[in-house]
Amino acid sequence: MIELDYAFLADYAAIQESKLTAVGASFTRMVVREMPSQVMLSVAGRVRVSTDIDELNLAIRATAPHQSYQLDGTLRISDLKDLPEYGEGKRGAVFALQFSLPLMEFGTYVIEVDILETEGVDRVLKFEAVSL
């Protein structure tokens, strides 16, 4: 069993000592000085998985007003130490993905968090790119 506990956008997110650190988290609006532009962005969150699962595949899709991008990665749960037990044979694993996203125009950008082993997209996050 695999469940996405939560996911959010952040200016910066990283994992240190099995803890998630985020700066500028959970935004829905990004002020941009000029277009086109390139921004650093993070998607972070936590998944709950059965103790018999050692890895899962995570896809992050970014859809701009007229473009799409996809990042794929594998979250290797067996490599993480001291994962919290949730009981009922589940444990939690945090993730943080940093990437550069080209912004070609103002408007709504949609970020999909998709655990490929589950049905459908697990979370849809959006932000609006607006002028200064």
Side-chain angles (χ1 to χ4, degrees):
M1 179 179 168
I2 301 171
E3 293 178 288
L4 180 63
D5 236 355
Y6 60 84
F8 58 87
L9 298 172
D11 292 331
Y12 171 82
I15 299 168
Q16 295 177 327
E17 299 177 14
S18 299
K19 293 186 241 175
L20 180 58
T21 299
V23 176
S26 216
F27 62 84
T28 57
R29 189 170 156 235
M30 180 182 289
V31 177
V32 182
R33 293 183 186 267
E34 63 184 14
M35 287 291 182
S37 189
Q38 191 89 359
V39 297
M40 289 302 295
L41 186 64
S42 294
V43 174
R46 182 175 63 203
V47 293
R48 282 184 282 167
V49 298
S50 304
T51 54
D52 60 340
I53 296 173
D54 289 332
E55 67 182 39
L56 57 90
N57 296 296
L58 190 64
I60 305 296
R61 292 181 203 96
T63 304
H66 295 98
Q67 304 165 10
S68 301
Y69 307 95
Q70 180 165 324
L71 301 165
D72 294 309
T74 300
L75 181 58
R76 295 192 188 285
I77 296 166
S78 60
D79 293 344
L80 303 175
K81 297 177 182 172
D82 302 321
L83 288 175
E85 283 277 342
Y86 283 97
E88 300 176 11
K90 297 178 189 171
R91 55 190 168 155
V94 290
F95 65 89
L97 300 161
Q98 294 179 303
F99 56 96
S100 177
L101 181 65
L103 302 181
M104 302 308 287
E105 59 189 287
F106 297 107
T108 301
Y109 288 74
V110 178
I111 310 294
E112 295 178 343
V113 179
D114 190 3
I115 299 169
L116 299 180
E117 288 83 0
T118 64
E119 289 288 323
V121 173
D122 295 279
R123 186 80 70 227
V124 176
L125 306 165
K126 298 178 183 181
F127 70 91
E128 191 78 20
V130 299
S131 63
L132 185 63

